[in-house]
Amino acid sequence: MHLHCRLGLTLMSCAMLLTATAAMAEPVKLSLSNPKGDVSLWMESSLKRIFPKSPPGDTATRTLDAARNQKLSFQIGINNQALHPATAEVKTTAPEGIGVQIRRVGYVPMHHMTPGTRPEELDGVDYLPGLVPDPLFPEQKVQVGPLESQSFWVTVDVATTATPGTYNIPFDVLFVHDKTSTTLTAEVNVHEFTINKRKDFPVTHWWRPSSIYNHYEVEPWSDEWFTITEKYIRDMVEHGSNVVLVNTLEVRREVFRQPNQMLTITKDGDKYNFDYSVVRKFVHMAKDAGMEYFEWPHLWIYWGVKNPMVVYKKTDKGYELYFPLDSDGFAPEYIDFLKQYLDSLHAFLKEEGLLEKSFFHLSDEPSHGEHYERYKKARGILKDIAPWMKVMDALSHIDYGKNGVTDIPVPLITTAKQFKDAGIPHWAYYCCAPTGDYVNRFMDTPLPKVRMTGMLLYRLGADGFLHWGYNYWDKIEQDHPLDVYVQGDAGAWPGIPYGDPFVVYPGENGPVSSTRWEIFAESLQDYAMLQTAGINPDDTLLQEIQDYHIFPKTEGWILKTVEEILKRKPQQGQ
C-alpha cells in the first residue's frame, strides 16, 4: 500500500495519514505539486550504503535495541523519482537520556573497485565505480535531484543514566518547496545492560600533523594549529582510539618542506640539543582530550631496517637533513644520535609520568631474511643504549615473535592467527591489505564486515589494534597534499584501495566523519560490550568466528549476537 500526500490535503490530515502508514512499517511516498513523480522516505540500517541510484527501502520505521552508554545509528533515506529537485530538512526532539545527531551523507568519487576481491565480498557492485556514500556532513537539509537517492545518518547516544524502557524518537521531514511534511519514528529499546569503558586494549591510528596545517593554512605548532588539532584528537578518542602517535620525529621517508617533526633538534659540536616544548604542549592537550597511551616514532626507516629515520634541522634556507636518505642506519654517527635522543626522551617521559603509558617502535614492516637480521642487530643496539625500552612493530613473520626479537609483534591479520595459535601475545593490524574475504574498511568493504572488527579482535585474541590511516591527505610518498573529497586512494590505486589512507575528511573547523569511521567505532563498542559481559572468547556465542577472513558477515548475525549479549549480566567489578 502506498500513501500519496497531495497538495489538496491539509498538512494535519497528511501528517495523520503518514503516521498511520509508518505504523504499518511501509515506505512513505509523497507526490509533490511541482515535480511529476513520487518522493519516497524510508528508514534504513546503517550497515547498508545508500547510493545515488539505490531504490527506496521497504520500511518507514526503525527499531533498535541498545545498552546504556552506547552509540548506535541508522539512516533516513529519500528517493526522488520526480523530474525536479526536492529539498528536504529533518528535525527531531530527543527524549531525556537520549542524544540524537543528524548528519547528511555525502558522496565522493570512487574510480576503481578494490582489487583481488570477489563481488560477493564487495559493496556497491551494481553502482561502482561511481559515487560512494562516505563523508558525514553536519547538515540537516539536503537537495535530492531527479531520479536519485540521498540519505541522512542518525546517531543515537544512550546515556549511562538512561532509564531502561522504550523510547520513541520522532523525525519530522519537511519538504521545503511544497511545505509538506511527515513524521517518521524510531523506537529505541534501552536495556539495563550498561557498557563499561573498554580496558586493556589499546587502539592507535597514525595521523598527519602536516595534513592539518597544510589544509587549514596555519603555522605548524601555532595556537591555531593546536585549536584545530585538538578537535581531531578528541574525534579519535570519541571513536575508540586511546593511543596517540607523538611525532617527535618524522615517520615518513619522503622529504618535506615543512616536516611533521615536533622536536626541535640543534647540534653544538658532538652534542645534540632537544627542545620538547611543542611535544610537551601536545602531550598535555592529548591527555586532556582523553588519550591514555602515547606512541613514539620508529628509529630506523620502514621496509628494511637499513637507513636512519629522516631527522630534520632548521636552517636559514629551511629544513635540511642531519643524515642523508641513503646513509647507513648503523653508522656510528647515527647510533650516537640515537643514544642522545633516547636519553633525552627517557628523561622527558619520566618527568611527565608517561614511561609506563608509552609504546615504542624500532622499524615498520620488516620482512624476513636480511630484514630479520638487521632488525635483530638494531634490537641489540637498543638493548645496549636504551635498556628501559620495549618495542612493538607491524611485522608478520612469526619468527619475530617466536624468538622474542620484538616485544610486542603486530602482525597483519593474514598471519595474526598463527601468533594466536602459537600462544604469542600480539596486536593486529590491517591497512592497504589484505583484500578479498578479509575484514577491512575500504570504501567498498560491506559495512557489516567493518562492524565485525571488534568481535574479531576479541574472539581471536589480539591485545591491541593499529592502523596507519587516520588523515593521510597526501599523495603517497610525496610532499603533495590532495583533495580527499576527490581522490580517496592517495593517488596510488591499485596498491592502495579507496578509503584506506583516511577515515575523516577536513571540515570547516574540524573533522568530518565517515560512514566507515562510525561503524568501526561501533565495532569497538561491541568489544567493550563483550568485555563488560565477561564473555569468554571461546564461548559458543562466537564460535562461528574462525579467522579474520572466516566469520559471519551479515547484519542479521550481528543483531542476533548483540541481542544475546544484552541478556547477560555485566561482570562484577568491571
Side-chain angles (χ1 to χ4, degrees), residues 52-92:
K53 285 296 184 180
S54 290
D58 58 6
T59 180
T61 62
R62 198 79 198 162
T63 300
L64 303 98
D65 285 300
R68 293 185 288 188
N69 193 32
Q70 182 179 13
K71 285 186 179 181
L72 53 163
S73 55
F74 63 92
Q75 297 177 87
I76 296 174
I78 305 173
N79 175 267
N80 181 16
Q81 287 302 309
L83 301 181
H84 299 280
T87 300
E89 185 174 10
V90 178
K91 296 181 179 180
T92 189

Side-chain angles (χ1 to χ4, degrees), residues 498-573:
Y498 279 75
D500 191 57
F502 58 89
V503 288
V504 294
Y505 297 78
E508 183 177 354
N509 297 302
V512 167
S513 190
S514 67
T515 60
R516 297 168 293 121
W517 190 222
E518 296 298 306
I519 296 303
F520 178 83
E522 291 185 27
S523 88
L524 293 180
Q525 281 187 144
D526 295 338
Y527 187 104
M529 188 183 295
L530 288 164
Q531 194 177 63
T532 300
I535 293 174
N536 190 301
D538 294 327
D539 192 292
T540 56
L541 185 68
L542 304 175
Q543 64 182 355
E544 291 183 60
I545 298 174
Q546 300 178 41
D547 204 341
Y548 290 97
H549 65 300
I550 305 173
F551 60 93
K553 300 173 182 178
T554 66
E555 179 181 13
W557 189 91
I558 294 169
L559 295 179
K560 180 181 176 182
T561 302
V562 169
E563 181 182 2
E564 178 60 33
I565 298 170
L566 291 175
K567 294 177 182 177
R568 305 199 182 188
K569 291 184 178 181
Q571 273 196 332
Q572 296 296 319

Side-chain angles (χ1 to χ4, degrees), residues 17-26 60-61:
L17 289 171
L18 287 169
T19 301
T21 302
M24 290 183 282
E26 292 190 9
T61 62

Side-chain angles (χ1 to χ4, degrees), residues 245-416:
L245 176 65
V246 186
N247 292 268
T248 48
L249 303 176
E250 173 63 71
V251 299
R252 302 294 306 178
R253 65 181 178 184
E254 58 267 35
V255 177
F256 291 89
R257 290 162 292 177
Q258 171 64 62
N260 287 269
Q261 180 178 300
M262 291 183 180
L263 195 59
T264 300
I265 304 174
T266 58
K267 191 178 182 184
D268 183 9
D270 293 332
K271 179 177 172 54
Y272 290 92
N273 299 297
F274 304 93
D275 183 349
Y276 280 85
S277 300
V278 173
V279 178
R280 182 175 285 103
K281 184 175 180 179
F282 175 79
V283 164
H284 290 179
M285 180 266 281
K287 288 175 72 173
D288 290 343
M291 284 296 178
E292 301 174 62
Y293 303 97
F294 297 85
E295 184 180 5
W296 306 90
H298 308 78
L299 302 174
W300 282 266
I301 205 64
Y302 44 90
W303 303 342
V305 204
K306 187 176 181 180
N307 305 115
M309 292 301 285
V310 182
V311 184
Y312 289 87
K313 57 184 174 182
K314 192 170 185 180
T315 70
D316 294 338
K317 298 178 181 179
Y319 286 91
E320 298 179 2
L321 301 183
Y322 274 109
F323 310 101
L325 292 177
D326 59 353
S327 58
D328 180 7
F330 297 100
E333 55 268 27
Y334 184 62
I335 302 305
D336 180 59
F337 164 79
L338 284 183
K339 184 179 188 315
Q340 293 189 49
Y341 162 61
L342 293 175
D343 284 348
S344 75
L345 178 62
H346 190 220
F348 171 78
L349 296 176
K350 288 198 298 183
E351 180 184 341
E352 293 293 331
L354 298 178
L355 192 57
E356 301 303 318
K357 293 287 187 179
S358 289
F359 297 106
F360 306 96
H361 292 291
L362 191 156
S363 187
D364 191 38
E365 294 188 319
S367 185
H368 53 283
E370 291 183 3
H371 289 199
Y372 179 76
E373 295 303 320
R374 286 196 290 267
Y375 194 100
K376 281 203 304 182
K377 181 179 179 179
R379 187 69 187 99
I381 291 171
L382 291 183
K383 286 181 178 179
D384 181 46
I385 65 175
W388 49 271
M389 176 186 288
K390 292 185 176 182
V391 298
M392 60 174 281
D393 281 304
L395 40 80
S396 297
H397 201 284
I398 199 166
D399 283 352
Y400 288 91
K402 277 185 176 179
N403 300 329
V405 179
T406 190
D407 300 287
I408 305 175
V410 186
L412 193 67
I413 57 173
T414 51
T415 62

